[in-house]
Amino acid sequence: MSDVEIVYKERPGKPKLWFGVPWALCAALMIWSFWNYWTEHHEIPLDALVVLTPLFFGIASIPGLVSLSKRRYNAITLTSRTLRVGRHTLPVSDITLHPPTTGRMPRLLGGGYDVPVGMHYVEFGGRGGEHYRVAVVNPQAFLAALTRVSAGA
C-alpha cells in the first residue's frame, strides 16, 4: 500500500465557522428584535416571525454555502499515482510541470467556474498538450509535492 501514500492533501473552506458565526449573529439579532418588540407591545408578531426567520437564516447561510463549495470543488489529494482535484482525477504520469505555451485557456480542475477568492492557482501541462489550472491555498507546498511526485513517476 506504500505506492498509494498521500503526498499532499488540502481541504479549503471552513463550513462550521462560516455557517456557525453568521447563524449565531442572525439568531442574536432575531431574539433581540423580537424581545424588543415584546417589551414594547406585549405580543410577538407571528407573521413576521414566520416570514423573517427563514429569510434571515437563508441569507446568513450564503457564506457557509460558499465554504462548502470550496470544500467540494477545490479539495486536493495527491498520491504517488494520481492527482485528484474536486471531481477530476489525473494520473501523475500524464502531468508535466511546464504548461504549454499555446494560446488555449487552461482547464480549471475540480469542477468550479473560477479560482475562489482567497485562493491562488497553479498551472501545469499534460503529456498530450493539455493546459490545467488548480486552485490552491498554498501554491509553494503544492508545487513542491507535485515536483517530488512527478520526478518519481
Side-chain angles (χ1 to χ4, degrees), residues 40-146:
E40 291 178 12
H41 302 283
H42 299 291
E43 66 179 359
I44 292 182
L46 291 178
D47 53 347
L49 184 70
V50 168
V51 172
L52 294 178
T53 301
L55 178 68
F56 286 163
F57 275 94
I59 291 170
S61 297
I62 292 171
L65 294 172
V66 169
S67 185
L68 280 176
S69 175
K70 286 171 79 171
R71 172 78 41 114
R72 167 69 178 106
Y73 293 114
N74 301 114
I76 299 171
T77 304
L78 177 64
T79 67
S80 57
R81 291 186 179 181
T82 60
L83 169 64
R84 180 168 175 81
V85 181
R87 57 184 167 189
H88 295 117
T89 303
L90 291 175
V92 170
S93 59
D94 289 351
I95 295 174
T96 61
L97 294 177
H98 304 289
T101 56
T102 63
R104 294 186 343 187
M105 290 293 295
R107 176 181 173 202
L108 182 65
L109 293 178
Y113 293 107
D114 202 1
V115 177
V117 173
M119 296 183 75
H120 307 281
Y121 65 87
V122 172
E123 292 185 0
F124 55 89
R127 299 253 186 254
E130 298 90 356
H131 191 180
Y132 299 112
R133 179 179 283 178
V134 174
V136 296
V137 174
N138 189 346
Q140 291 83 12
F142 175 71
L143 272 176
L146 191 60

Side-chain angles (χ1 to χ4, degrees), residues 2-75:
S2 65
D3 59 342
V4 290
E5 162 191 357
I6 295 175
V7 177
Y8 182 82
K9 192 172 192 175
E10 190 173 288
R11 298 288 179 262
K14 296 177 173 101
K16 290 180 183 177
L17 172 73
W18 289 108
F19 274 118
V21 171
W23 282 1
L25 292 173
C26 185
L29 176 67
M30 296 294 288
I31 290 169
W32 174 79
S33 65
F34 284 110
W35 179 260
N36 190 28
Y37 191 87
W38 169 261
T39 58
E40 291 178 12
H41 302 283
H42 299 291
E43 66 179 359
I44 292 182
L46 291 178
D47 53 347
L49 184 70
V50 168
V51 172
L52 294 178
T53 301
L55 178 68
F56 286 163
F57 275 94
I59 291 170
S61 297
I62 292 171
L65 294 172
V66 169
S67 185
L68 280 176
S69 175
K70 286 171 79 171
R71 172 78 41 114
R72 167 69 178 106
Y73 293 114
N74 301 114

